[in-house]
């Protein structure tokens, strides 16, 4: 454990001493991904990201309540002053000439939506102005994409409008097509929502790009170019000088990578389901009822990989089993709670390893993916929690904290999800 930490520390120091050039061009089909608290992010706050989350129980509960359901349909109490921001952002160039927007990545949503000029209630000062783009086109009600939009409606001017909620926020948008340029790749006639009205505080400021598997997602719209294949490496939230990558298309994807079958749920067409068959703590496979992990298209039960949720949420019986075994293996120390975490320890204790056992692929989490550290209280907490029991308690979500510094490959044509360790730089 000690030597592990030492190596980690040294490698962090080496990498940290290099500053990053925020405006460096992305390579073809390989976009740089920034954490919102990266020095390259305009959304950076002075507070430590982990400490913010640890101390803000309301925020934690809010984030966790996003876990179970498609975020676009979560009924969340709004108006509690909770600030939710996107965790990972990429640069998207929209229109002709291009207007740059830093959009949040969301692998569990399909449609993209961008705040547009004239928007009422959008918090961003950076807005996309369709009137300044020669390639912009507003879609009419009869356009086939209109049926794919969430809650579509036909406006008086016969253009396609839609309404949706995201966390505690709501947007009204109209469907637009324009040229999207990602790194050096050009996607003509990309369909997205132009937000003209927004309320609530949980919207990513400069919009969102959906990487889900449904029809309106980037992945579906760029099928000719990227063949529904992409991978990403999310940088650690603590490493503000690191950037990760979003690599689109089958080219340059890792060949030697552990994979598990990707499952499709027709009722939750956006989500990337996998088959989690067990969880090991130390060398013990914990006793979890089969029903807590089983994939069931009818109820939406199962396990998904998601980039928009911060901490892994396991359905209650699974979480309790993992937590109890984890606690049992931490010798001579009693667990305390902090914020939404219930398995925290102060000082230096030796933690057991945790392994997710997927069909055909075991993934053992390195300490950085397993524990969240509070700098204030010298506490380390198991960075997982039980799925909220009120909403959609059937879904296990493998979240971004557990994916950091790994390459996650989504290969839809071959129905597989791959994962391998990689330091995102
Ligand atoms: C990031 O790089 C800048 C410039 O080299 C440096 O001043 C800063 O301390 C670095 N930040 C971290 C967290 O390493
Ligand atoms: C969105 O919902 C509001 C309130 O229900 C309604 O007034 C508006 O017409 C809707 N807009 C669209 C584009 O569906
Ligand atoms: C984009 O849409 C325009 C307007 O409908 C059409 O003329 C053009 O052929 C389309 N381009 C591509 C590449 O689909
Ligand atoms: C843990 O709690 C038990 C019961 O309260 C107590 O007897 C024990 O001394 C505690 N252990 C430590 C290491 O604090
Ligand atoms: C945190 O705990 C370690 C190990 O017990 C100790 O050496 C260190 O001084 C503590 N730091 C603070 C800030 O309390
Ligand atoms: C995963 O770990 C379990 C238990 O240690 C083992 O039985 C199984 O063969 C492993 N699976 C793979 C694909 O390595």
């Amino acid at each position: 454990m000690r030597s592990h930490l030492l190596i980690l520390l040294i490698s962090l120091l080496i990498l940290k001493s290099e500053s990053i050039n925020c405006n460096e061009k992305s390579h073809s089909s390989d976009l740089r991904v920034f954490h919102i608290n990266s020095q390259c992010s305009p959304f950076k706050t002075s507070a430590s990201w982990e400490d913010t989350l640890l101390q803000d129980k309301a925020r934690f509960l809010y984030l966790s309540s996003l876990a179970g359901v498609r975020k676009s349909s979560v009924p969340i109490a709004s108006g509690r002053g909770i600030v939710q921001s996107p965790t990972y952002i990429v640069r998207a160039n929209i229109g002709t000439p291009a207007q740059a927007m830093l959009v949040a990545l969301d692998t569990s949503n399909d449609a993209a939506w961008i705040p547009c000029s004239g928007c009422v209630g959008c918090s961003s000062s950076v807005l996309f102005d369709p009137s300044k783009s020669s390639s912009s086109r507003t879609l009419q009600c009869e356009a086939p994409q209109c049926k794919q939009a969430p809650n579509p409606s036909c406006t008086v001017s016969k253009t396609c409008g839609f309404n949706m909620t995201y966390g505690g926020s709501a947007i009204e948008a109209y469907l637009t097509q324009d040229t999207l340029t990602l790194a050096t790749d050009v996607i003509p006639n990309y369909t997205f929502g132009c937000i003209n009205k927004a309320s609530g505080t949980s919207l990513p400021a400069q919009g969102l790009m959906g990487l889900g598997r449904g029809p309106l997602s980037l992945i579906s719209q760029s099928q000719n170019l990227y063949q529904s294949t992409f991978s990403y490496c999310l940088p650690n939230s603590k490493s503000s000088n690191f950037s990760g990558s979003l690599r689109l298309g089958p080219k340059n994807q890792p060949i030697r990578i552990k994979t598990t079958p990707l499952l499709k749920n027709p009722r939750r067409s956006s989500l990337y389901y996998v088959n989690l068959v067990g969880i090991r703590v130390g060398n013990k496979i914990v006793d979890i009822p089969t029903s807590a992990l089983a994939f069931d298209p009818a109820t939406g039960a199962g396990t998904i990989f998601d980039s928009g949720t911060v901490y892994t949420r396991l359905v209650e019986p699974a979480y309790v089993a993992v937590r109890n075994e984890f606690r049992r293996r931490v010798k001579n120390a009693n667990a305390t709670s902090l914020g939404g975490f219930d398995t925290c320890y102060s000082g230096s204790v030796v933690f057991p390893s945790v392994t997710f056992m997927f069909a055909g692929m075991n993934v053992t989490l390195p300490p950085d993916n397993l524990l969240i550290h509070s700098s204030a209280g010298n506490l380390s907490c198991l960075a997982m929690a039980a799925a909220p029991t009120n909403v959609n308690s059937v879904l296990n979500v493998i979240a971004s904290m557990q994916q950091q510094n790994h390459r996650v490959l989504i290969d839809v044509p071959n129905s597989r999800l791959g994962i391998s360790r990689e330091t995102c730089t």
Side-chain angles (χ1 to χ4, degrees), residues 257-305:
I257 189 169
K258 292 191 277 192
T259 66
T260 189
L262 201 51
L263 308 176
K264 191 172 184 170
N265 183 344
R267 293 172 55 146
R268 295 269 179 86
S269 58
S270 316
L271 304 179
Y272 294 104
Y273 278 89
V274 291
N275 190 3
L276 178 65
V277 293
I279 301 175
R280 208 170 63 204
V281 177
N283 57 9
K284 175 152 196 267
I285 298 170
V286 296
D287 196 8
I288 299 171
T290 317
S291 62
L293 301 180
F295 174 63
D296 183 350
T299 61
T303 302
I304 65 163
F305 267 71

Side-chain angles (χ1 to χ4, degrees), residues 218-376:
L218 172 71
I219 302 312
S220 304
Q221 291 194 52
S222 61
Q223 205 140 1
N224 292 342
L225 191 58
Y226 299 135
Q227 287 141 53
S228 301
T229 306
F230 67 100
S231 72
Y232 55 84
C233 188
L234 304 175
N236 188 315
S237 56
K238 281 178 289 190
S239 322
S240 70
N241 279 354
F242 291 5
S243 69
S245 84
L246 170 65
R247 193 174 295 156
L248 296 158
K251 246 178 82 182
N252 300 324
Q253 296 298 356
I255 295 161
R256 302 170 71 85
I257 189 169
K258 292 191 277 192
T259 66
T260 189
L262 201 51
L263 308 176
K264 191 172 184 170
N265 183 344
R267 293 172 55 146
R268 295 269 179 86
S269 58
S270 316
L271 304 179
Y272 294 104
Y273 278 89
V274 291
N275 190 3
L276 178 65
V277 293
I279 301 175
R280 208 170 63 204
V281 177
N283 57 9
K284 175 152 196 267
I285 298 170
V286 296
D287 196 8
I288 299 171
T290 317
S291 62
L293 301 180
F295 174 63
D296 183 350
T299 61
T303 302
I304 65 163
F305 267 71
D306 182 32
S307 68
T309 304
V310 184
Y311 300 104
T312 286
R313 318 292 304 196
L314 299 173
V315 304
E316 184 134 27
Y319 177 70
V320 168
V322 168
R323 178 200 65 190
N324 289 351
E325 184 60 23
F326 191 91
R327 286 180 179 175
R328 207 178 64 74
R329 283 169 181 264
V330 177
K331 300 286 181 219
N332 307 318
N334 290 330
T336 56
S337 291
L338 181 64
F341 301 100
D342 67 4
T343 301
C344 305
Y345 298 91
S346 59
S348 59
V349 294
V350 178
F351 294 104
S353 65
V354 172
T355 302
F356 289 126
M357 298 161 61
F358 300 102
M361 167 178 99
N362 290 341
V363 178
T364 299
L365 298 175
D368 255 13
N369 296 90
L370 187 60
L371 303 164
I372 176 167
H373 308 284
S374 160
S375 54

Side-chain angles (χ1 to χ4, degrees), residues 77-273:
S78 53
R80 280 149 99 216
I82 300 164
V83 181
Q84 147 80 344
S85 14
T87 314
Y88 291 99
I89 50 177
V90 295
R91 185 183 303 271
N93 293 305
I94 307 164
T96 316
Q99 300 176 40
M101 306 290 289
L102 287 169
V103 295
L105 287 181
D106 191 335
T107 55
S108 299
N109 262 278
D110 292 335
W113 28 268
I114 313 287
C116 284
S117 50
C119 173
V120 177
C122 287
S123 63
S124 175
S125 56
V126 179
L127 302 166
F128 174 66
D129 188 348
S131 71
K132 295 211 172 100
S133 168
S134 62
S135 46
S136 169
R137 194 163 69 98
T138 304
L139 289 186
Q140 304 296 302
C141 305
E142 60 271 17
Q145 292 90 341
C146 193
K147 289 185 197 69
Q148 299 163 350
N151 309 311
S153 62
C154 201
T155 67
V156 280
S157 52
K158 298 278 179 281
T159 59
C160 178
F162 70 91
N163 269 352
M164 67 178 277
T165 57
Y166 187 83
S169 297
I171 60 169
E172 266 180 61
Y174 54 96
L175 271 196
T176 300
Q177 271 191 344
D178 208 333
T179 304
L180 170 68
T181 309
L182 295 172
T184 53
D185 292 339
V186 177
I187 299 153
N189 297 345
Y190 178 62
T191 303
F192 60 95
C194 224
I195 306 175
N196 51 17
K197 200 169 163 192
S199 61
T201 52
S202 57
L203 296 171
Q206 294 184 24
L208 174 139
M209 192 161 71
L211 297 177
R213 35 188 326 184
L216 264 192
S217 88
L218 172 71
I219 302 312
S220 304
Q221 291 194 52
S222 61
Q223 205 140 1
N224 292 342
L225 191 58
Y226 299 135
Q227 287 141 53
S228 301
T229 306
F230 67 100
S231 72
Y232 55 84
C233 188
L234 304 175
N236 188 315
S237 56
K238 281 178 289 190
S239 322
S240 70
N241 279 354
F242 291 5
S243 69
S245 84
L246 170 65
R247 193 174 295 156
L248 296 158
K251 246 178 82 182
N252 300 324
Q253 296 298 356
I255 295 161
R256 302 170 71 85
I257 189 169
K258 292 191 277 192
T259 66
T260 189
L262 201 51
L263 308 176
K264 191 172 184 170
N265 183 344
R267 293 172 55 146
R268 295 269 179 86
S269 58
S270 316
L271 304 179
Y272 294 104
Y273 278 89

